[in-house]
Amino acid sequence: MQQPRYRIETAVEATRIFAFAGIGLVVVLVLLPFFAGRGLVQDLIFVFYMLALAQLWNLLAGYAGLVSVGQQAFVGLGGYMLFAFTVYGGIDPLLAIVLAGVVAFLLAFPTALVVFRLRGAYFAIGTWVVAEVYRLVFAQVKPLGGGTGTSLSVGVINGLFGIDFLREVFGLRTSLARDMVMYWTALALAVGTVLVVYFLLRSRRGLGLAAIRDSEVAAESVGVDSFRTKLWVYVLTAGITGMVGALIYLQTARISPDAAFSVLQWTAYVIFIVVIGGIGTIEGPIVGVLIFYLLQNYLAGFGTWYLILLGALAIVIMLFAPSGIWGYVSARFNLVLFPLRRRLVRLNTEKVDSGE
Amino acid sequence: MPDRPGLSDSRMVLEIAGLSKSFGSVRAADNILLAVREGEALGIIGPNGAGKSSLFNLITGDLVPDAGEIRLNGRDVTRMPPHRRCKLGIARSYQIPHPFENLTVFENLLVGAAFGQDKHERDVADLCGQVLERTGLLHRANIPAGSLTLLERKRLELARALATGPQVLLLDEIAGGLTEAEIADLVATIREINASGTTIVWIEHVVAALLAVVTRLIVLNFGSKIAEGEPQAVMNSKEVRDIYTGIEA
Ligand SMILES: Nc1ncnc2c1ncn2[C@@H]1O[C@H](COP(=O)(O)OP(=O)(O)OP(=O)(O)O)[C@@H](O)[C@H]1O
Ligand SMILES: [Mg+2]
């Protein structure tokens, strides 16, 4: 009796090499603040949290088809929760970041209840309106600074977990130690987000998500619960977005409703990063954030012209390389750094039976 | 397993009563009464726009009826979302194929098997491989479904539905455009699926293929069931001759 048997394979050879290179890169980044100047460290904090936001928006829009322009709702919420927990709860800021994420995750459920009733463009507008409601609500909260905002006291920031340790062991100044702790937190959030997105997409739920993206009707017809899958993606991204928001406002140490719920800063730039890098891939936002960083660094001085240039660049890419820079490169060189394909491999039964 | 008094009393898998659906002034389903026995192969014919696909859409939950009731194994599923009906054992192919284009052929089946049967991916690799063998798509397993030809897409519709391990399989015009030899293949495949216990409901314009498989035939026109019974008898009935001469003339 010969029963052919099959197996599923995911990784490809090139990917293992990349995985090692990736681990090496992360190690270098972890050690970097011991060598690099303070300016670079602060710049990289910015790169890390923009990368995390871009990955999350990409998961939402590029994979789940939920084109939100209201993710600033959860950035701002996370930021305000950090202030509330540290100033009034006396909680360590690092723990407060996690709690801010939990609050954002929980509030995403009632938010979803509202916006999930809308489809397509109406969904996008709905998320924006909801973010505005969040902004107006926080502008009313006097203990958190009302409409003008408030600052974190130096005491709160310098109480950050790990600062004393760095000062004593390495003899660093407080300000330097503070930057390092924030740098590592931002790095952990960015790398963590990439890994969460990657393993989510490799999971069964990720397979369902890919099916929904191609045909929601057919996905439902073979047993995929599209509502639950999308809801899950929405609340998960909201939770992590809240954590990123908390970190951002721990670093700036000052919050106001207009900045925290800024659609330009937390959604438009993020969309730009994803679109130029390549929507619907994990590599895309990584490429996009590096380009965005370079542009911001060298051109931000041009003010309005800088924004016009960003917009023009995004339009050019959408017209001529709709899958973004990464999409172009990966098609050209057949390159995949985060493999998601499941290959069916036929096993040679005789070989298996002869035993090894 | 409930006791069965006799074979003639075999269970009803699907029971439909008073089912109606209108699109504006178009009646796509008009007070339809229908019961499908476990293990049977039922054929559905009718002119274009008769409401055949709409009936499938109502059974799977893609459409919500204006009135009426659908029962699967005695359980009311009329308001249930499609994914839950699939898990309870209904699978379908679409008349216009809806492949997951950016997934490979194998991954298309994997979605069906892993979700339709609520199993871990690694536990359904064998099943998917076997369905691909059976439907002649094994050599295409690892290419994107978007690059398949129309005929291959139709076969993929069948394969993906089969991967869900259905109790009732609804097939919507999968023989159109095939050569004689391919039709013979398809007929053999569907017979085999039916013989292994899966109930078949098949909408088909290629009547010869249909008659080679089904044991009962119903005719729809303007959303109503206008004839039902033994296939040859139905084909020779006045109602059917009227419709088809009407079309041919
Ligand atoms: N979603 C819809 N919205 C509006 N009208 C629809 C919709 N679906 C079907 N119809 C109409 O309902 C009627 C029945 O359509 P249906 O697709 O069920 O016919 P059919 O018997 O499958 O025809 P064919 O043999 O051409 O596939 C047609 O008049 C069709 O135009
Ligand atoms: Mg039809």
Side-chain angles (χ1 to χ4, degrees):
Chain A
M1 203 183 90
Q2 257 213 0
Q3 186 84 320
R5 297 188 59 80
Y6 297 87
R7 183 165 56 83
I8 305 176
E9 226 171 54
T10 317
V12 288
E13 205 47 50
T15 311
R16 295 213 182 89
I17 299 167
F18 168 73
F20 284 115
I23 292 168
L25 177 67
V26 171
V27 171
V28 169
L29 286 174
V30 168
L31 298 176
L32 191 91
F34 289 111
F35 314 106
R38 204 175 162 194
L40 181 62
V41 168
Q42 286 180 341
D43 280 2
L44 283 178
I45 295 176
F46 168 76
V47 169
F48 292 154
Y49 65 63
M50 289 309 273
L51 173 60
L53 291 178
Q55 286 294 349
L56 293 165
W57 189 81
N58 181 44
L59 177 64
L60 208 53
Y63 285 96
L66 297 168
V67 183
S68 164
V69 293
Q71 289 313 93
Q72 65 274 16
F74 301 110
V75 173
L77 178 64
Y80 270 101
M81 285 303 111
L82 176 98
F83 275 58
F85 284 128
T86 52
V87 175
Y88 294 101
I91 293 171
D92 182 278
L94 287 192
L95 180 59
I97 289 177
V98 177
L99 293 178
V102 173
V103 172
F105 172 81
L106 293 176
L107 276 180
F109 283 95
T111 307
L113 222 59
V114 177
V115 292
F116 272 43
R117 291 173 182 276
L118 308 166
R119 297 255 149 196
Y122 294 97
F123 174 84
I125 294 164
T127 56
W128 192 356
V129 170
V130 167
E132 282 301 290
V133 171
Y134 273 68
R135 180 176 69 83
L136 292 171
V137 167
F138 277 98
Q140 299 309 311
V141 182
K142 289 280 157 11
L144 290 171
T148 51
T150 182
S151 299
L152 272 188
S153 72
V154 181
V156 167
I157 310 171
N158 290 350
L160 200 56
F161 176 84
I163 286 189
D164 287 343
F165 175 82
L166 285 171
R167 277 175 38 195
E168 277 160 31
V169 176
F170 296 101
L172 299 176
R173 278 184 295 121
T174 307
S175 58
L176 206 58
R178 193 175 62 209
D179 280 358
M180 284 167 109
V181 172
M182 291 201 203
Y183 171 90
W184 286 321
T185 311
L187 177 62
L189 267 179
V191 173
T193 304
V194 171
L195 291 179
V196 163
V197 172
Y198 178 55
F199 284 104
L200 169 71
L201 293 178
R202 277 193 55 166
S203 73
R204 201 179 75 141
R205 204 177 239 127
L207 184 68
L209 203 52
I212 293 170
R213 181 164 70 158
D214 283 354
S215 170
E216 190 164 349
V217 180
E220 274 277 334
S221 86
V222 292
V224 182
D225 186 340
S226 67
F227 177 82
R228 273 219 0 220
T229 307
K230 287 179 174 185
L231 178 66
W232 205 81
V233 167
Y234 186 78
V235 295
L236 178 77
T237 54
I240 306 178
T241 303
M243 289 174 67
V244 176
L247 171 75
I248 292 170
Y249 285 97
L250 175 63
Q251 202 215 359
T252 37
R254 183 174 162 75
I255 199 165
S256 70
D258 289 345
F261 296 96
S262 160
V263 64
L264 175 68
Q265 187 70 35
W266 309 129
T267 293
Y269 287 158
V270 167
I271 294 178
F272 172 81
I273 291 170
V274 175
V275 167
I276 60 166
I279 193 166
T281 63
I282 295 178
E283 297 90 341
I286 299 175
V287 172
V289 80
L290 293 176
I291 292 167
F292 176 69
Y293 168 66
L294 294 176
L295 290 174
Q296 169 114 339
N297 231 10
Y298 294 108
L299 301 173
F302 293 98
T304 314
W305 284 106
Y306 163 67
L307 292 178
I308 293 171
L309 178 83
L310 284 192
L313 189 60
I315 290 169
V316 167
I317 295 226
M318 280 191 272
L319 287 178
F320 298 104
S323 51
I325 292 171
W326 177 260
Y328 181 79
V329 171
S330 86
R332 187 81 197 264
F333 302 101
N334 198 14
L335 200 60
V336 178
L337 303 185
F338 295 88
L340 293 170
R341 273 266 177 273
R342 290 123 165 120
R343 291 179 56 81
L344 184 68
V345 180
R346 192 176 188 154
L347 297 174
N348 188 333
T349 8
E350 280 120 275
K351 216 174 188 172
V352 171
D353 286 345
S354 68
E356 269 156 60
Chain B
M1 267 286 201
D3 277 342
R4 282 193 202 163
L7 265 178
S8 60
D9 195 34
S10 117
R11 241 159 35 97
M12 292 301 168
V13 201
L14 200 58
E15 291 160 287
I16 292 165
L19 199 66
S20 297
K21 176 75 185 179
S22 298
F23 299 106
S25 62
V26 178
R27 281 176 105 37
D30 192 355
N31 198 15
I32 290 186
L33 177 71
L34 177 66
V36 183
R37 255 175 292 117
E38 183 165 29
E40 96 167 302
L42 171 71
I44 300 180
I45 60 168
N48 293 114
K52 305 181 295 296
S53 298
S54 298
L55 178 60
F56 274 12
N57 288 337
L58 289 165
I59 295 172
T60 58
D62 288 13
L63 282 177
V64 178
D66 301 332
E69 191 180 72
I70 303 165
R71 287 179 174 275
L72 181 68
N73 294 316
R75 181 168 175 183
D76 188 352
V77 298
T78 317
R79 308 267 144 197
M80 219 179 247
H83 69 267
R84 287 193 54 205
R85 301 191 201 198
C86 170
K87 289 191 168 146
L88 290 178
I90 298 180
R92 72 171 300 170
S93 73
Y94 283 94
Q95 183 174 354
I96 298 164
H98 287 294
F100 305 129
E101 298 203 2
N102 293 300
L103 298 184
T104 65
V105 170
F106 162 62
E107 286 170 325
N108 270 260
L109 270 68
L110 193 58
V111 176
F115 285 90
Q117 307 196 27
D118 238 327
K119 283 187 177 157
H120 197 283
E121 286 176 45
R122 67 170 170 267
D123 296 332
V124 293
D126 260 18
L127 169 82
C128 292
Q130 278 156 19
V131 174
L132 286 170
E133 283 173 21
R134 184 184 245 185
T135 50
L137 284 169
L138 190 59
H139 65 296
R140 311 293 260 165
N142 293 316
I143 68 159
S147 58
L148 295 183
T149 65
L150 177 62
L151 290 184
E152 287 171 327
R153 281 166 192 243
K154 287 202 168 194
R155 243 185 288 163
L156 177 58
E157 283 289 320
L158 170 63
R160 189 177 59 191
L162 275 179
T164 66
Q167 186 187 7
V168 189
L169 180 60
L170 310 178
L171 300 172
D172 196 347
E173 296 194 26
I174 54 169
L178 297 183
T179 65
E180 294 273 310
E182 286 166 334
I183 286 184
D185 261 6
L186 181 68
V187 164
T189 308
I190 296 175
R191 273 186 156 157
E192 207 180 292
I193 295 163
N194 186 225
S196 68
T198 307
T199 307
I200 307 271
V201 183
W202 187 6
I203 296 172
E204 191 53 75
H205 279 302
V206 185
V207 175
L210 194 64
L211 295 187
V213 173
V214 303
T215 50
R216 192 158 66 104
L217 191 63
I218 67 170
V219 186
L220 293 182
N221 199 13
F222 296 113
S224 303
K225 187 173 78 178
I226 57 164
E228 173 172 18
E230 197 278 318
Q232 274 309 332
V234 169
M235 287 310 294
N236 295 330
S237 68
K238 184 180 175 309
E239 290 89 344
V240 171
R241 286 209 314 273
D242 283 352
I243 293 172
Y244 283 86
T245 48
I247 290 169
E248 250 97 84

